[in-house]
Amino acid sequence: MELNNLTAHELIQKINNKETTPQDIVASLHKRIKEKDAQVKAYVRSDELIDPTHIAGIPVSIKDNICTDGYNTECCSKVLEGFKPPYNATVIEKIKAAGHSFLGLKLNMDEFAFGSSTENSHFGPTHNPWNLNCVPGGSSGGSAASVAADEAIWALGSDTGGSIRQPASFCGIVGLKPTYGRVSRFGLIAFASSLDQIGPLTKDVRDAALLTNIISGHDANDSTSINCAIPDFTKSLINDVHSLKIGIPKEYFVEGLDPEVKKVAEESIEKLKNLGAQFKEVSLPHTEYAVPVYYIIATAEASSNLARFDGVQYGFRADSSNLIEMYKKTRAQGFGEEVKRRILLGTFALSHGYYDAYYLKALKVRTLIKQDFDNVFKDFDCIITPTSPTAAFEIGEKTDDPLKMYLSDIYTISANLAGIPAISLPCGFTKKGLPVGLQVLGKHLDEEMLFRVAYTYEQNTEWHKMKPKL
Ligand code: GLN
């Protein structure tokens, strides 16, 4: 078995037993990347290798919107071309403090994390390792594809409306969006600040727990980070779901859910039932508003966050003899089509006369969506749904229809609006051999329940051991 095929916890064991070294692991990853990344295209600017003296522990691959000191961080946008942050995001500092390192290569993503397929990247799309004609999901498509293709041991992504969980589901790996505030956003280039969270994409649940242990915690540099004790999440890796009460929201099993995905999800629920969990149908009545509410709030916040990219401080600057022209040209040439669409939408929703009708209304419905979850969690330990209504779709299939694309996050968006944690784990395949993901949603700060349910399911199934043939 090549080192790059192993999980982080297996490699930690090997390092402790003096059977391998961090240098060997990096060498094995580089070999794999050289052989396979021309097809997968998970990494961008692949010339930036880590300085060998900085290699330690298990290298983590990082999404291109997380600041890495001295390494390009461009959000896969032309507007940030050449931007090298002078500091590390808090998560990178925490990875170093835990004895690990950043691999040195950055992962592909939809420009500014706006998308569900990684097709909005300035560098072109990433391909799904299970079927190279399909998308890997998005926006953390590079993160998910690199882990699934064994071009990364583990990776970090960001999730504003599903961008960790949906690509994890499309690529057959584990992805966690922690509770809002569990992980510092300092150094994560903001998309929608009230929704964004950094989280792990890994080959199994144990690695997700390990990486969550490392990146969690209060940070004085992020005023929204929560000051509370961090449990050791590996203690929640308990193979037992006896008498846990799990809700199945009826609003998620309706039209639009692909019949094959539905079948696979129902079989997984059956499996957990046989392992002793108690299931009951529940209702999240405001689910139908999640997508419209998200696209008002997320674009409103994005239009404000992206105002700083004007050619003065960061990255790309268009040629011009006059300042106002320079701002205009930089933004016109630097941003891609989807980014422009969202800046326009968000600016409109915040404009005088429309603020109350759209933005304020969306905030109110957001509260109702959160209350739906609070009500269910009074009687239930967690909620289970499919992660996405379909398996991976073909590259190009939805690019002409933004609304269709937006619907691929219908099951993931509510967790961000409510601020609650949610995990996606592999639970089967479609007839065409594409992975399907199961989502477990939990109470605020109750990642422990998610790890327990996910671990139990994983220990009693083989899905996480399947590898794509590349
Ligand atoms: N796909 C959603 C969007 O396009 C979510 C993206 C994300 O979580 N970053 O906004």
Side-chain angles (χ1 to χ4, degrees):
M1 182 70 99
E2 300 287 336
L3 294 171
N4 63 295
N5 293 334
L6 301 178
T7 60
H9 62 87
E10 288 165 336
L11 290 167
I12 290 169
Q13 193 98 69
K14 279 194 179 292
I15 293 177
N16 291 345
N17 295 344
K18 308 235 178 308
E19 289 163 23
T20 192
T21 65
Q23 282 70 19
D24 292 341
I25 298 168
V26 170
S28 148
L29 285 171
H30 284 163
K31 180 166 169 270
R32 178 73 176 174
I33 293 166
K34 261 203 194 119
E35 284 167 7
K36 300 295 175 194
D37 207 46
Q39 299 170 55
V40 178
K41 297 191 163 64
Y43 291 97
V44 291
R45 301 179 305 270
S46 46
D47 48 343
E48 295 180 65
L49 298 182
I50 186 175
D51 173 349
T53 58
H54 290 161
I55 299 174
I58 312 301
V60 189
S61 297
I62 303 292
K63 188 175 177 179
D64 201 33
N65 59 351
I66 298 175
C67 287
T68 40
D69 189 357
Y71 288 87
N72 287 37
T73 302
E74 300 176 351
C75 289
C76 292
S77 177
K78 180 177 163 76
V79 95
L80 276 171
E81 208 165 62
F83 173 60
K84 289 190 203 298
Y87 66 97
N88 276 324
T90 298
V91 290
I92 304 292
E93 290 297 332
K94 283 182 176 285
I95 283 167
K96 283 167 63 182
H100 301 293
S101 46
F102 151 53
L103 181 63
L105 305 171
K106 299 297 275 280
L107 292 160
N108 203 12
M109 57 183 279
D110 286 297
E111 184 178 0
F112 284 102
F114 298 178
S116 311
S117 65
T118 316
E119 292 168 290
N120 296 334
S121 166
H122 170 54
F123 298 104
T126 294
H127 298 251
N128 191 313
W130 291 92
N131 178 337
L132 294 168
N133 296 322
C134 289
V135 302
S139 66
S140 310
S143 307
S146 67
V147 172
D150 289 316
E151 294 179 30
I153 306 300
W154 49 3
L156 287 184
S158 64
D159 190 313
T160 305
S163 278
I164 290 175
R165 290 160 286 156
Q166 184 256 26
S169 138
F170 280 16
C171 292
I173 61 163
V174 177
L176 171 78
K177 181 201 90 72
T179 303
Y180 182 77
R182 171 71 88 187
V183 177
S184 168
R185 291 182 296 110
F186 181 71
L188 169 67
I189 297 178
F191 163 5
S193 313
S194 77
L195 301 161
D196 298 340
Q197 262 302 276
I198 296 174
L201 292 105
T202 59
K203 294 178 190 175
D204 69 6
V205 177
R206 181 173 294 277
D207 274 5
L210 280 172
L211 197 46
T212 308
N213 274 354
I214 293 170
I215 61 174
S216 295
H218 179 246
D219 178 8
N221 286 328
D222 173 1
S223 61
T224 59
S225 85
I226 300 173
N227 199 349
C228 66
I230 316 162
D232 175 356
F233 295 112
T234 61
K235 296 235 163 74
S236 309
L237 303 173
I238 303 163
N239 184 353
D240 177 18
V241 288
H242 260 102
S243 66
L244 288 185
K245 290 200 196 110
I246 304 181
I248 307 290
K250 63 171 188 229
E251 291 81 3
Y252 284 54
F253 288 81
V254 291
E255 210 197 305
L257 172 57
D258 178 272
E260 277 194 73
V261 171
K262 180 165 183 261
K263 186 166 164 277
V264 169
E266 283 168 350
E267 284 165 7
S268 325
I269 290 169
E270 211 39 52
K271 179 93 204 173
L272 283 164
K273 244 185 223 166
N274 293 335
L275 292 165
Q278 295 171 15
F279 283 87
K280 214 170 151 187
E281 187 178 276
V282 297
S283 174
L284 297 166
H286 296 92
T287 298
E288 64 173 305
Y289 303 112
V291 172
V293 163
Y294 170 85
Y295 276 96
I296 291 171
I297 293 176
T299 58
E301 293 186 24
S303 71
S304 158
N305 277 326
L306 270 58
R308 71 190 64 155
F309 303 112
D310 57 5
V312 178
Q313 299 178 77
Y314 313 96
F316 169 72
R317 177 180 302 165
D319 282 336
S320 179
S321 51
N322 138 349
L323 182 66
I324 302 291
E325 271 308 306
M326 188 280 284
Y327 291 152
K328 283 189 185 165
K329 278 195 187 164
T330 298
R331 290 171 69 84
Q333 295 168 16
F335 289 135
E337 210 180 310
E338 180 63 20
V339 175
K340 287 180 191 161
R341 180 181 297 123
R342 293 198 188 195
I343 291 173
L344 285 171
L345 253 171
T347 306
F348 177 76
L350 290 176
S351 60
H352 183 73
Y354 295 101
Y355 182 95
D356 288 354
Y358 294 110
Y359 184 66
L360 210 59
K361 181 66 132 264
L363 290 183
K364 289 178 182 167
V365 182
R366 179 179 188 174
T367 302
L368 296 175
I369 290 170
K370 181 178 176 300
Q371 286 169 355
D372 283 353
F373 283 107
D374 292 345
N375 287 335
V376 169
F377 287 137
K378 278 183 202 145
D379 302 313
F380 290 85
D381 297 298
C382 62
I383 292 172
I384 284 188
T385 76
T387 305
S388 178
T390 67
F393 43 89
E394 280 188 20
I395 292 176
E397 196 180 319
K398 298 190 183 181
T399 36
D400 293 335
D401 189 346
L403 287 181
K404 218 171 169 186
M405 187 72 92
Y406 295 171
L407 286 174
S408 57
D409 304 305
I410 192 154
Y411 298 153
T412 48
I413 273 172
S414 299
N416 302 74
L417 291 169
I420 58 174
I423 195 167
S424 177
L425 66 153
C427 73
F429 290 85
T430 62
K431 288 194 199 91
K432 285 189 180 150
L434 291 168
V436 176
L438 190 70
Q439 177 176 232
V440 191
L441 302 112
K443 295 174 194 165
H444 198 244
L445 288 175
D446 194 11
E447 282 84 356
E448 288 158 287
M449 178 58 65
L450 307 188
F451 285 127
R452 176 171 166 193
V453 173
Y455 183 74
T456 303
Y457 182 79
E458 185 184 83
Q459 289 305 297
N460 291 281
T461 53
E462 299 289 316
W463 309 118
H464 63 292
K465 293 186 186 151
M466 313 279 209
K467 301 260 188 201
K469 285 182 204 73
L470 264 176

